[in-house]
Amino acid sequence: MAAITGQKSEGDRKHPVDETLPPFKMFTSGLQHVAAMYAGVVAPPMIVGPACGLSATETAFLMGASLFTAGIATLLQTLGFWKVGAKLPFVNGVSFAGVTPMVAIGKAQSPQHALPIIFGAVIVAGVLGFVLAPYFSKLVRFFPPVVTGTVITLIGVSLLPVAFRWSQGGNEAAPDYGSLTNIGMAALTFLIVLVLRRVLRGFLQQIAILLGLMAGTLIAIPVGITHFSAITKASRIGFPTPFHFGAPEFDVAAIVSMCIVMLVCMTESTADMLALGRIVDRPADERTIEGGLRADTLGTALSPLFNGFANSAFAQNIGLVAMTKVRSRFVVATSGLILIVLGLCPIAASVISLVPLPVLGGAGIVLFGSVAASGIQTLATAAMEKGDNALIVAAAVGIGLIPIAAPDFYHNLPKDLLVVLDSGISTGCLVAIVLNLAFNHFGRRDPEAEAEAEEAAAEAAPGDPQIPHQPDRGAVDDSGEPATTPAH
């Protein structure tokens, strides 16, 4: 029938992840991803640059380089080649996990050696991660729904404080941090996004976040929190010259620190790929995770060539995919191209930076909350009626929330441990994996004995009068009365 009507059969249709959109929709949807993650990409170089003794101009150069390398890493992840790339709608960018050790390296070294030592350590960490990717991906069997649901929920909850800080202004040292104006603009943007999602239909509903950011930015102009100074100071063209800050140097302590960061990034990326795989209805298997980790680590190893840092998947964009239902990886590949253009054209990057942080924060609450909601949906499939699974979630979420609820909780522990402990996603993920192994794998009864017990129960249930077969709770027959036979 499909051949007669000219329609494609189910088997011939492309998966939504592999579909392309019309050019305008592709660009606007890609731009929406860039707007959602822009602040996250430029924030690490804004912190690391001054710690390494860079001037404002040099820090701006570092920010452009981070945008450029994030674009390259995103293309590796979405388009891929050979066995590189998850080929899922993933945006990659500078990982926050490396900020603390890089700042420590920058403060410990002289300005002329700080960045070369950081870049050398990042290269080694990226190469190590690339080699380990095939082995690391085999851990996917330790990520059942009780683990992935917990981690996805923690990803969303861990990102929400970022949105709250943006809503207050972003800079805690600023006199207007937490002002009524900032919080009011965040609340207004939040409401605009919700209203747009409710009243719009089709493609306009899909880009409600972008429209909300644009509306919030325009409203913020008369309010006085939209600043145009970045545009007036920005250059038209600025290529991130290879090894602009000097050839990479290799320091053992720095390499060890960044290798630990790389393992943390790989753990988080694995959880992110599993989360996104569920959201786009293409579950991430071992091969997908292996390709995704290769893209992360290859992007990391190449980034220092263009003065960039370690790259990993950006969790906040998972929320955008979940909310908009736009699952095409080519949309996110378009985001990668936009990021490359922004890295090559500082004046274009400055236009994106016009979005005030309070406006971004208001939209971020919706985005990051969507990630947490996806995690809760996953947990709903995790057989939570089993007491052990509920305990696993309770313990993992509790430990994962420590860095969020009590940021100074681990302040007396060795700084090297803080690379892992300061990430609620990493700690929660590790706790969930270990407890899942302890409760659901180790110490279980012999599989043959379990099979025999189940077979005996199946034989006894239909005919044994001492074991009456109970109807499904809540099932009703056609008359509306409780069903007396199991519902199917």
Side-chain angles (χ1 to χ4, degrees), residues 43-54 62 98-99 102-103 106 115 118 309:
M46 288 175 64
I47 298 170
V48 175
C52 294
L54 300 188
L62 205 61
V99 171
M102 287 192 295
V103 168
L115 280 176
I118 289 174
F309 303 121

